[in-house]
Each structure stands twice: as C-alpha cells, then as structure tokens.
Amino acid sequence: MFSALRQASRSVSSTRALRTPASRPVAAAFTLRPLARTLVTTKYTKDHEAVIYDDQKNIGKVTITDYAQTSLGDVVFVELPTTDTEVAQGESIGAVESVKAASDIFSPVSGKVVAINEELGSQPSLVNKSPEDKGWLCEIELSKPSEMDDLMSAGEYQAHCEES
C-alpha cells in the first residue's frame, strides 16, 4: 500500500513539473533558501545566574537559576539595570529581594543592556514561577562573546550545586 502512495505522489510531482510555464525554467520554481544556523546556548555562573545566548542575534538573556530562586524563597522585589547601560562580566547589575533575604545579581557577560523585563516591576513572583523563562531579568548585547566559554555548562553547574 505504501509503495502505491509513493508512486502516486511521484506522479503528481512530475505532473506539476510539466505544468510549469515554458517561459520560466523548472529549476527557478524550486529555488532553495539558505538556512540560517542559530545556536541557543545556556551557560551558568557560580553565583547562580544563567545566560541564554543566541549566537545569531548576539544577545544573552540573563536569568537567575531555579536553584537560586528556590534558595531565596518568595521574591517580593527585583531591581534591574537600565537599558543602554554598559556592563562588565561579574559586575553587579541589580538585586533580588525575597521574604528570606536579598541577593545581588551579577552580569554573566560584558556588553550593553538592550532590554529589561518590565513585568517584574508589578509581578516579581515571576522569578519564582518561571525563573529561566517568564522571570528573565534583562537582555545584554555581548561585547565579548568569547566570555561564554568561561561559564559553566548545565552538567558543570549541576555538579557545582551538588557540592554546595
């Protein structure tokens, strides 16, 4: 049965090729678009920040990790950097306050802050509900993409958390 379906689809494809107008070459009807390769990588710091890096856009989305938000408890306030601020790797860029404690946020990479998560102003609990998705902190356009190599992979970060 499957061979009959394959044969039928082949005959439909060849019929379409025959119906292509003579003024347009058959090859032009099937032009290939170049594929863009985008690599999205998540790397971690020892201070429990993460950066989700899109190499195509050269933008890193900074978050705190699930481990960090669990340690903090219920987040009640998030201080974020302002857009267009230049930051250096390891520099304090804000703070997260919870019912238990307050903790500084350190930039995992160097670059320019291009966006902040405005929703955290009215809903800081997003950091607890979805720290690496809806609770993201800011986006940084990396000035030194090679700094990503200095950060930990998911496996290395997990081992770091188990040692703590």
Side-chain angles (χ1 to χ4, degrees):
M1 173 156 170
F2 290 113
S3 62
L5 289 173
R6 271 190 234 122
Q7 190 63 23
S9 72
R10 285 184 189 140
S11 62
V12 168
S13 296
S14 61
T15 305
R16 282 189 197 131
L18 293 174
R19 282 192 246 151
T20 304
S23 61
R24 189 174 81 188
V26 174
F30 301 103
T31 57
L32 297 177
R33 294 184 201 131
L35 296 174
R37 184 184 142 260
T38 299
L39 182 62
V40 176
T41 307
T42 303
K43 295 282 194 122
Y44 302 86
T45 70
K46 291 180 181 181
D47 294 319
H48 307 290
E49 290 92 10
V51 61
I52 304 163
Y53 178 63
D54 182 332
D55 74 336
Q56 193 72 27
K57 297 177 182 175
N58 195 39
I59 300 286
K61 187 178 284 189
V62 178
T63 71
I64 66 168
T65 64
D66 188 54
Y67 180 88
Q69 72 82 20
T70 301
S71 299
L72 283 169
D74 294 334
V75 174
V76 294
F77 179 75
V78 180
E79 178 186 336
L80 298 172
T82 56
T83 55
D84 296 328
T85 302
E86 292 289 331
V87 297
Q89 186 178 40
E91 178 181 300
S92 178
I93 58 171
V96 177
E97 293 181 23
S98 71
V99 293
K100 289 183 183 179
S103 181
D104 284 337
I105 302 165
F106 300 98
S107 180
V109 291
S110 299
K112 178 179 169 183
V113 177
V114 293
I116 61 168
N117 188 348
E118 301 279 350
E119 291 184 41
L120 294 180
S122 61
Q123 298 179 53
S125 63
L126 287 174
V127 172
N128 294 113
K129 294 176 185 168
S130 181
E132 294 185 30
D133 185 26
K134 293 180 182 173
W136 63 276
L137 305 171
C138 65
E139 290 183 341
I140 298 175
E141 181 177 6
L142 277 67
S143 59
K144 300 176 186 174
S146 62
E147 289 178 340
M148 289 294 294
D149 298 335
D150 300 336
L151 303 175
M152 293 185 281
S153 67
E156 292 168 330
Y157 178 70
Q158 184 176 356
H160 169 71
C161 290
E162 290 171 358
E163 291 172 4
S164 299

